[in-house]
PDB file of all heavy atoms in Angstrom:
ATOM      1  N   PRO A1273      45.243   7.635 -15.960  1.00  0.00           N
ATOM      2  CA  PRO A1273      44.417   8.475 -16.835  1.00  0.00           C
ATOM      3  C   PRO A1273      44.218   9.898 -16.315  1.00  0.00           C
ATOM      4  O   PRO A1273      43.741  10.758 -17.058  1.00  0.00           O
ATOM      5  CB  PRO A1273      43.072   7.727 -16.884  1.00  0.00           C
ATOM      6  CG  PRO A1273      43.059   6.862 -15.678  1.00  0.00           C
ATOM      7  CD  PRO A1273      44.495   6.504 -15.414  1.00  0.00           C
ATOM      8  N   ALA A1274      44.567  10.140 -15.046  1.00  0.00           N
ATOM      9  CA  ALA A1274      44.397  11.508 -14.522  1.00  0.00           C
ATOM     10  C   ALA A1274      45.505  12.440 -15.004  1.00  0.00           C
ATOM     11  O   ALA A1274      45.385  13.666 -14.911  1.00  0.00           O
ATOM     12  CB  ALA A1274      44.369  11.490 -12.992  1.00  0.00           C
ATOM     13  N   ALA A1275      46.604  11.842 -15.538  1.00  0.00           N
ATOM     14  CA  ALA A1275      47.738  12.691 -15.934  1.00  0.00           C
ATOM     15  C   ALA A1275      47.414  13.465 -17.216  1.00  0.00           C
ATOM     16  O   ALA A1275      46.770  12.952 -18.123  1.00  0.00           O
ATOM     17  CB  ALA A1275      48.969  11.815 -16.142  1.00  0.00           C
ATOM     18  N   GLY A1276      47.861  14.689 -17.276  1.00  0.00           N
ATOM     19  CA  GLY A1276      47.707  15.495 -18.500  1.00  0.00           C
ATOM     20  C   GLY A1276      46.280  15.971 -18.719  1.00  0.00           C
ATOM     21  O   GLY A1276      45.432  15.906 -17.828  1.00  0.00           O
ATOM     22  N   LEU A1277      46.012  16.493 -19.918  1.00  0.00           N
ATOM     23  CA  LEU A1277      44.694  17.030 -20.307  1.00  0.00           C
ATOM     24  C   LEU A1277      44.166  17.981 -19.230  1.00  0.00           C
ATOM     25  O   LEU A1277      44.759  19.007 -18.971  1.00  0.00           O
ATOM     26  CB  LEU A1277      43.709  15.872 -20.592  1.00  0.00           C
ATOM     27  CG  LEU A1277      44.149  14.871 -21.668  1.00  0.00           C
ATOM     28  CD1 LEU A1277      43.212  13.650 -21.706  1.00  0.00           C
ATOM     29  CD2 LEU A1277      44.226  15.509 -23.048  1.00  0.00           C
ATOM     30  N   GLU A1278      43.058  17.621 -18.559  1.00  0.00           N
ATOM     31  CA  GLU A1278      42.494  18.518 -17.538  1.00  0.00           C
ATOM     32  C   GLU A1278      43.517  18.853 -16.443  1.00  0.00           C
ATOM     33  O   GLU A1278      43.568  19.980 -15.959  1.00  0.00           O
ATOM     34  CB  GLU A1278      41.266  17.869 -16.884  1.00  0.00           C
ATOM     35  CG  GLU A1278      40.028  17.877 -17.744  1.00  0.00           C
ATOM     36  CD  GLU A1278      39.588  19.290 -18.099  1.00  0.00           C
ATOM     37  OE1 GLU A1278      39.103  20.001 -17.215  1.00  0.00           O
ATOM     38  OE2 GLU A1278      39.761  19.685 -19.260  1.00  0.00           O
ATOM     39  N   SER A1279      44.315  17.852 -16.068  1.00  0.00           N
ATOM     40  CA  SER A1279      45.257  18.076 -14.954  1.00  0.00           C
ATOM     41  C   SER A1279      46.304  19.127 -15.281  1.00  0.00           C
ATOM     42  O   SER A1279      46.838  19.780 -14.371  1.00  0.00           O
ATOM     43  CB  SER A1279      45.951  16.766 -14.568  1.00  0.00           C
ATOM     44  OG  SER A1279      45.012  15.891 -13.987  1.00  0.00           O
ATOM     45  N   ASP A1280      46.609  19.310 -16.574  1.00  0.00           N
ATOM     46  CA  ASP A1280      47.579  20.346 -16.934  1.00  0.00           C
ATOM     47  C   ASP A1280      47.038  21.742 -16.619  1.00  0.00           C
ATOM     48  O   ASP A1280      47.797  22.687 -16.458  1.00  0.00           O
ATOM     49  CB  ASP A1280      47.915  20.276 -18.436  1.00  0.00           C
ATOM     50  CG  ASP A1280      48.788  19.076 -18.753  1.00  0.00           C
ATOM     51  OD1 ASP A1280      49.402  18.518 -17.817  1.00  0.00           O
ATOM     52  OD2 ASP A1280      48.831  18.676 -19.931  1.00  0.00           O
ATOM     53  N   PHE A1281      45.723  21.858 -16.569  1.00  0.00           N
ATOM     54  CA  PHE A1281      45.113  23.172 -16.357  1.00  0.00           C
ATOM     55  C   PHE A1281      44.403  23.278 -15.010  1.00  0.00           C
ATOM     56  O   PHE A1281      44.170  24.367 -14.507  1.00  0.00           O
ATOM     57  CB  PHE A1281      44.129  23.480 -17.510  1.00  0.00           C
ATOM     58  CG  PHE A1281      44.839  23.506 -18.827  1.00  0.00           C
ATOM     59  CD1 PHE A1281      45.023  22.350 -19.566  1.00  0.00           C
ATOM     60  CD2 PHE A1281      45.419  24.689 -19.273  1.00  0.00           C
ATOM     61  CE1 PHE A1281      45.737  22.372 -20.756  1.00  0.00           C
ATOM     62  CE2 PHE A1281      46.132  24.722 -20.454  1.00  0.00           C
ATOM     63  CZ  PHE A1281      46.294  23.560 -21.206  1.00  0.00           C
ATOM     64  N   ARG A1282      44.023  22.127 -14.454  1.00  0.00           N
ATOM     65  CA  ARG A1282      43.341  22.092 -13.160  1.00  0.00           C
ATOM     66  C   ARG A1282      44.037  21.030 -12.306  1.00  0.00           C
ATOM     67  O   ARG A1282      43.515  19.929 -12.094  1.00  0.00           O
ATOM     68  CB  ARG A1282      41.854  21.729 -13.361  1.00  0.00           C
ATOM     69  CG  ARG A1282      41.138  22.593 -14.395  1.00  0.00           C
ATOM     70  CD  ARG A1282      39.677  22.209 -14.539  1.00  0.00           C
ATOM     71  NE  ARG A1282      38.904  22.651 -13.403  1.00  0.00           N
ATOM     72  CZ  ARG A1282      37.627  22.277 -13.169  1.00  0.00           C
ATOM     73  NH1 ARG A1282      37.020  21.443 -13.998  1.00  0.00           N
ATOM     74  NH2 ARG A1282      36.988  22.735 -12.124  1.00  0.00           N
ATOM     75  N   PRO A1283      45.246  21.356 -11.818  1.00  0.00           N
ATOM     76  CA  PRO A1283      46.106  20.317 -11.219  1.00  0.00           C
ATOM     77  C   PRO A1283      45.521  19.617  -9.997  1.00  0.00           C
ATOM     78  O   PRO A1283      45.928  18.500  -9.690  1.00  0.00           O
ATOM     79  CB  PRO A1283      47.389  21.079 -10.866  1.00  0.00           C
ATOM     80  CG  PRO A1283      47.122  22.522 -11.105  1.00  0.00           C
ATOM     81  CD  PRO A1283      45.875  22.670 -11.900  1.00  0.00           C
ATOM     82  N   THR A1284      44.578  20.237  -9.289  1.00  0.00           N
ATOM     83  CA  THR A1284      44.057  19.577  -8.089  1.00  0.00           C
ATOM     84  C   THR A1284      42.674  18.972  -8.326  1.00  0.00           C
ATOM     85  O   THR A1284      42.077  18.385  -7.429  1.00  0.00           O
ATOM     86  CB  THR A1284      43.944  20.585  -6.921  1.00  0.00           C
ATOM     87  OG1 THR A1284      43.092  21.667  -7.322  1.00  0.00           O
ATOM     88  CG2 THR A1284      45.304  21.146  -6.554  1.00  0.00           C
ATOM     89  N   PHE A1285      42.175  19.111  -9.537  1.00  0.00           N
ATOM     90  CA  PHE A1285      40.794  18.730  -9.835  1.00  0.00           C
ATOM     91  C   PHE A1285      40.519  17.238  -9.571  1.00  0.00           C
ATOM     92  O   PHE A1285      39.590  16.890  -8.833  1.00  0.00           O
ATOM     93  CB  PHE A1285      40.482  19.082 -11.295  1.00  0.00           C
ATOM     94  CG  PHE A1285      39.143  18.621 -11.774  1.00  0.00           C
ATOM     95  CD1 PHE A1285      37.985  19.168 -11.262  1.00  0.00           C
ATOM     96  CD2 PHE A1285      39.031  17.634 -12.737  1.00  0.00           C
ATOM     97  CE1 PHE A1285      36.733  18.752 -11.707  1.00  0.00           C
ATOM     98  CE2 PHE A1285      37.792  17.213 -13.191  1.00  0.00           C
ATOM     99  CZ  PHE A1285      36.649  17.769 -12.667  1.00  0.00           C
ATOM    100  N   PHE A1286      41.337  16.369 -10.153  1.00  0.00           N
ATOM    101  CA  PHE A1286      41.005  14.939 -10.028  1.00  0.00           C
ATOM    102  C   PHE A1286      41.235  14.391  -8.621  1.00  0.00           C
ATOM    103  O   PHE A1286      40.577  13.427  -8.225  1.00  0.00           O
ATOM    104  CB  PHE A1286      41.740  14.105 -11.086  1.00  0.00           C
ATOM    105  CG  PHE A1286      41.147  14.269 -12.459  1.00  0.00           C
ATOM    106  CD1 PHE A1286      41.907  14.711 -13.512  1.00  0.00           C
ATOM    107  CD2 PHE A1286      39.800  14.011 -12.684  1.00  0.00           C
ATOM    108  CE1 PHE A1286      41.354  14.880 -14.778  1.00  0.00           C
ATOM    109  CE2 PHE A1286      39.230  14.179 -13.933  1.00  0.00           C
ATOM    110  CZ  PHE A1286      40.010  14.616 -14.988  1.00  0.00           C
ATOM    111  N   ASP A1287      42.148  14.976  -7.867  1.00  0.00           N
ATOM    112  CA  ASP A1287      42.272  14.572  -6.453  1.00  0.00           C
ATOM    113  C   ASP A1287      40.940  14.855  -5.744  1.00  0.00           C
ATOM    114  O   ASP A1287      40.459  14.047  -4.946  1.00  0.00           O
ATOM    115  CB  ASP A1287      43.376  15.357  -5.738  1.00  0.00           C
ATOM    116  CG  ASP A1287      44.776  14.896  -6.151  1.00  0.00           C
ATOM    117  OD1 ASP A1287      44.873  13.970  -6.973  1.00  0.00           O
ATOM    118  OD2 ASP A1287      45.757  15.476  -5.641  1.00  0.00           O
ATOM    119  N   GLY A1288      40.384  16.020  -6.035  1.00  0.00           N
ATOM    120  CA  GLY A1288      39.101  16.386  -5.420  1.00  0.00           C
ATOM    121  C   GLY A1288      37.979  15.464  -5.853  1.00  0.00           C
ATOM    122  O   GLY A1288      37.145  15.045  -5.032  1.00  0.00           O
ATOM    123  N   VAL A1289      37.966  15.128  -7.136  1.00  0.00           N
ATOM    124  CA  VAL A1289      36.928  14.229  -7.649  1.00  0.00           C
ATOM    125  C   VAL A1289      37.096  12.837  -7.033  1.00  0.00           C
ATOM    126  O   VAL A1289      36.132  12.234  -6.532  1.00  0.00           O
ATOM    127  CB  VAL A1289      37.003  14.135  -9.199  1.00  0.00           C
ATOM    128  CG1 VAL A1289      36.131  12.995  -9.719  1.00  0.00           C
ATOM    129  CG2 VAL A1289      36.604  15.456  -9.845  1.00  0.00           C
ATOM    130  N   ALA A1290      38.325  12.318  -7.052  1.00  0.00           N
ATOM    131  CA  ALA A1290      38.562  10.955  -6.558  1.00  0.00           C
ATOM    132  C   ALA A1290      38.211  10.856  -5.078  1.00  0.00           C
ATOM    133  O   ALA A1290      37.612   9.859  -4.627  1.00  0.00           O
ATOM    134  CB  ALA A1290      40.025  10.563  -6.789  1.00  0.00           C
ATOM    135  N   THR A1291      38.551  11.880  -4.326  1.00  0.00           N
ATOM    136  CA  THR A1291      38.279  11.845  -2.884  1.00  0.00           C
ATOM    137  C   THR A1291      36.775  11.845  -2.622  1.00  0.00           C
ATOM    138  O   THR A1291      36.265  11.042  -1.831  1.00  0.00           O
ATOM    139  CB  THR A1291      38.958  13.049  -2.189  1.00  0.00           C
ATOM    140  OG1 THR A1291      40.357  13.003  -2.478  1.00  0.00           O
ATOM    141  CG2 THR A1291      38.747  13.015  -0.685  1.00  0.00           C
ATOM    142  N   VAL A1292      36.049  12.699  -3.315  1.00  0.00           N
ATOM    143  CA  VAL A1292      34.610  12.757  -3.034  1.00  0.00           C
ATOM    144  C   VAL A1292      33.886  11.511  -3.571  1.00  0.00           C
ATOM    145  O   VAL A1292      32.965  11.000  -2.928  1.00  0.00           O
ATOM    146  CB  VAL A1292      33.976  14.074  -3.567  1.00  0.00           C
ATOM    147  CG1 VAL A1292      33.627  13.982  -5.043  1.00  0.00           C
ATOM    148  CG2 VAL A1292      32.738  14.438  -2.765  1.00  0.00           C
ATOM    149  N   VAL A1293      34.335  11.002  -4.711  1.00  0.00           N
ATOM    150  CA  VAL A1293      33.677   9.802  -5.251  1.00  0.00           C
ATOM    151  C   VAL A1293      33.939   8.609  -4.327  1.00  0.00           C
ATOM    152  O   VAL A1293      33.028   7.821  -4.033  1.00  0.00           O
ATOM    153  CB  VAL A1293      34.133   9.522  -6.707  1.00  0.00           C
ATOM    154  CG1 VAL A1293      33.689   8.143  -7.169  1.00  0.00           C
ATOM    155  CG2 VAL A1293      33.580  10.597  -7.651  1.00  0.00           C
ATOM    156  N   ALA A1294      35.173   8.492  -3.836  1.00  0.00           N
ATOM    157  CA  ALA A1294      35.473   7.393  -2.908  1.00  0.00           C
ATOM    158  C   ALA A1294      34.596   7.510  -1.659  1.00  0.00           C
ATOM    159  O   ALA A1294      34.032   6.522  -1.167  1.00  0.00           O
ATOM    160  CB  ALA A1294      36.951   7.408  -2.532  1.00  0.00           C
ATOM    161  N   LYS A1295      34.461   8.728  -1.146  1.00  0.00           N
ATOM    162  CA  LYS A1295      33.606   8.918   0.036  1.00  0.00           C
ATOM    163  C   LYS A1295      32.155   8.527  -0.269  1.00  0.00           C
ATOM    164  O   LYS A1295      31.511   7.807   0.509  1.00  0.00           O
ATOM    165  CB  LYS A1295      33.649  10.389   0.496  1.00  0.00           C
ATOM    166  CG  LYS A1295      34.887  10.734   1.308  1.00  0.00           C
ATOM    167  CD  LYS A1295      34.910  12.203   1.709  1.00  0.00           C
ATOM    168  CE  LYS A1295      33.815  12.567   2.700  1.00  0.00           C
ATOM    169  NZ  LYS A1295      34.109  12.138   4.083  1.00  0.00           N
ATOM    170  N   LEU A1296      31.642   9.008  -1.392  1.00  0.00           N
ATOM    171  CA  LEU A1296      30.242   8.703  -1.731  1.00  0.00           C
ATOM    172  C   LEU A1296      30.027   7.191  -1.850  1.00  0.00           C
ATOM    173  O   LEU A1296      29.007   6.659  -1.407  1.00  0.00           O
ATOM    174  CB  LEU A1296      29.858   9.404  -3.045  1.00  0.00           C
ATOM    175  CG  LEU A1296      29.721  10.932  -2.953  1.00  0.00           C
ATOM    176  CD1 LEU A1296      29.657  11.552  -4.348  1.00  0.00           C
ATOM    177  CD2 LEU A1296      28.479  11.319  -2.143  1.00  0.00           C
ATOM    178  N   PHE A1297      31.001   6.507  -2.466  1.00  0.00           N
ATOM    179  CA  PHE A1297      30.851   5.061  -2.634  1.00  0.00           C
ATOM    180  C   PHE A1297      30.909   4.348  -1.282  1.00  0.00           C
ATOM    181  O   PHE A1297      30.189   3.378  -1.038  1.00  0.00           O
ATOM    182  CB  PHE A1297      31.932   4.511  -3.573  1.00  0.00           C
ATOM    183  CG  PHE A1297      31.701   4.848  -5.035  1.00  0.00           C
ATOM    184  CD1 PHE A1297      32.602   4.445  -6.009  1.00  0.00           C
ATOM    185  CD2 PHE A1297      30.574   5.553  -5.441  1.00  0.00           C
ATOM    186  CE1 PHE A1297      32.394   4.748  -7.344  1.00  0.00           C
ATOM    187  CE2 PHE A1297      30.356   5.865  -6.787  1.00  0.00           C
ATOM    188  CZ  PHE A1297      31.276   5.461  -7.744  1.00  0.00           C
ATOM    189  N   LEU A1298      31.764   4.828  -0.385  1.00  0.00           N
ATOM    190  CA  LEU A1298      31.847   4.190   0.930  1.00  0.00           C
ATOM    191  C   LEU A1298      30.615   4.518   1.767  1.00  0.00           C
ATOM    192  O   LEU A1298      30.187   3.720   2.601  1.00  0.00           O
ATOM    193  CB  LEU A1298      33.130   4.643   1.641  1.00  0.00           C
ATOM    194  CG  LEU A1298      34.402   4.087   0.984  1.00  0.00           C
ATOM    195  CD1 LEU A1298      35.647   4.826   1.460  1.00  0.00           C
ATOM    196  CD2 LEU A1298      34.532   2.590   1.252  1.00  0.00           C
ATOM    197  N   GLN A1299      30.035   5.681   1.532  1.00  0.00           N
ATOM    198  CA  GLN A1299      28.833   6.066   2.282  1.00  0.00           C
ATOM    199  C   GLN A1299      27.608   5.277   1.811  1.00  0.00           C
ATOM    200  O   GLN A1299      26.790   4.833   2.609  1.00  0.00           O
ATOM    201  CB  GLN A1299      28.581   7.575   2.097  1.00  0.00           C
ATOM    202  CG  GLN A1299      29.608   8.446   2.796  1.00  0.00           C
ATOM    203  CD  GLN A1299      29.629   9.870   2.272  1.00  0.00           C
ATOM    204  OE1 GLN A1299      29.033  10.186   1.247  1.00  0.00           O
ATOM    205  NE2 GLN A1299      30.321  10.750   2.979  1.00  0.00           N
TER     206      GLN A1299
END
Side-chain angles (χ1 to χ4, degrees):
L1277 303 171
E1278 285 299 289
S1279 292
D1280 287 342
F1281 299 87
R1282 308 181 74 190
T1284 58
F1285 174 67
F1286 286 122
D1287 286 359
V1289 168
T1291 303
V1292 83
V1293 168
K1295 280 178 67 77
L1296 289 167
F1297 286 179
L1298 291 165
Q1299 290 162 349

